[in-house]
Amino acid sequence: MATDQEAGFLHIGVGTLDNIGIFDILRWWPLSDYKPSGINEYGLAYKLKNGQSGLARAIFTEAVATGNLSYKFSTPIKSVKDHGAILEVTSRDGMSFSANMMICTVPLNVLGDVGFEQALGPLKLAAARQGRVGLTSKVHYEIDGKFLRSWSGTAYSGKGLIHAYGAGTTPAGNTHVVAVGAEAEQLHPEENIEKTKEAILHSHDMDIERMVFYNWTKDEFAGGAWCVFTPGFASEYLDAL
Ligand SMILES: Cc1cc2nc3c(=O)[nH]c(=O)nc-3n(C[C@H](O)[C@H](O)[C@H](O)COP(=O)(O)OP(=O)(O)OC[C@H]3O[C@@H](n4cnc5c(N)ncnc54)[C@H](O)[C@@H]3O)c2cc1C
């Protein structure tokens, strides 16, 4: 059984007690007031009114309004070539873009899917090959009543969901619970709803009204949820990245 402190680390790292590096824990743990319940207390106390998407849209709208932004969505990049003074990016559908400077924000776990010709140093390539922790799904469910409104729980290794918490009340007066998957026993909700329900009920008995989920591990543009380094990764690769 995990201790309270280990449960806090597992919630932050959503990996296993062996593959979560201390680097990210050191950042999140003080922000959580050095206690396992802190991440939910502070994370849920301060929310963006219009959500993360609302913030991104507001920044984007403002940037477009300057008239100085050209953009292209839904254009996955296949390769990046370094020609010396000019960099050339080619999309999967064959379009090509050139510039003398580029910023690459492709996440670590899918960086290796882009073909970099001379444009990425050996350390960055090695970091991309190694990847990071956080191969997980996220499951949101609405449950009957308010009795789990202030509840949170960790199940290690559980039955596929490592941590769950009451995140708010729905318009119907029910509780919205958010759960994250366990890397030790990966859950793919889209493949098995019964197993997903079993994982939910393993942490606490409840009446599930409905659920929605997203499998971050299978997202070809993410390759996992939030970034948590493995032990030794930060010392080896952080400067290069
Ligand atoms: C479920 C979940 C919960 C999280 N919760 C928190 C939280 O509570 N607090 C917190 O601080 N952080 C949280 N994070 C982490 C936070 O979302 C990330 O740290 C942040 O989004 C990283 O920003 P980024 O720009 O580096 O990468 P991303 O936001 O991942 O952006 C990378 C972009 O690159 C695109 N891309 C990938 N491959 C290609 C390609 N080949 N060609 C073209 N485009 C490509 C992707 O589509 C994406 O749009 C969470 C993340 C997840 C998944």
Side-chain angles (χ1 to χ4, degrees):
M1 204 170 90
T3 64
D4 275 4
Q5 196 176 46
E6 286 170 341
F9 294 169
L10 287 163
H11 177 195
I12 294 167
V14 291
T16 67
L17 287 173
D18 293 327
N19 73 5
I20 300 170
I22 198 70
F23 178 80
D24 291 285
I25 300 294
L26 283 178
R27 197 163 55 89
W28 281 93
W29 193 243
L31 288 172
S32 307
D33 209 9
Y34 306 93
K35 56 184 184 185
S37 59
I39 188 166
N40 284 344
E41 280 171 25
Y42 297 109
L44 296 176
Y46 306 106
K47 283 187 177 179
L48 296 173
K49 193 175 169 198
N50 297 314
Q52 186 73 17
S53 303
L55 175 66
R57 278 193 200 102
I59 294 171
F60 178 69
T61 305
E62 196 175 314
V64 171
T66 65
N68 292 323
L69 175 72
S70 308
Y71 58 90
K72 188 130 189 56
F73 290 130
S74 304
T75 311
I77 299 306
K78 189 175 157 201
S79 62
V80 181
K81 230 179 201 170
D82 189 347
H83 296 292
I86 294 286
L87 283 145
E88 184 190 359
V89 159
T90 306
S91 66
R92 285 185 196 168
D93 56 9
M95 279 186 289
S96 156
F97 306 87
S98 303
N100 55 13
M101 190 183 282
M102 286 184 188
I103 298 172
C104 169
T105 66
V106 173
L108 186 66
N109 273 13
V110 290
L111 193 57
D113 297 341
V114 178
F116 285 93
E117 232 175 80
Q118 290 147 6
L120 216 60
L123 275 176
K124 281 186 186 167
L125 283 172
R129 263 196 302 276
Q130 187 170 321
R132 45 80 177 178
V133 185
L135 308 182
T136 179
S137 302
K138 204 164 183 190
V139 184
H140 295 246
Y141 38 98
E142 180 170 343
I143 58 161
D144 190 29
K146 293 196 176 75
F147 79 109
L148 290 183
R149 175 63 189 85
S150 303
W151 167 81
S152 70
T154 301
Y156 183 64
S157 60
K159 295 204 169 188
L161 291 172
I162 203 164
H163 185 84
Y165 57 92
T169 309
T170 69
N174 291 325
T175 302
H176 167 207
V177 181
V178 181
V180 285
E183 195 163 307
E185 190 178 331
Q186 278 188 34
L187 181 73
H188 301 292
E190 72 285 1
E191 288 174 9
N192 196 333
I193 289 292
E194 284 313 312
K195 197 171 172 213
T196 307
K197 280 191 198 163
E198 207 185 306
I200 292 171
L201 296 175
H202 177 68
S203 60
H204 204 294
D205 196 25
M206 59 185 87
D207 289 325
I208 307 163
E209 298 277 331
R210 58 185 178 140
M211 69 167 101
V212 289
F213 45 77
Y214 191 75
N215 192 338
W216 286 97
T217 310
K218 289 195 177 170
D219 183 324
E220 63 170 320
F221 300 115
W226 55 93
C227 182
V228 174
F229 293 155
T230 49
F233 189 98
S235 316
E236 191 81 25
Y237 301 116
L238 190 61
D239 281 349
L241 287 171

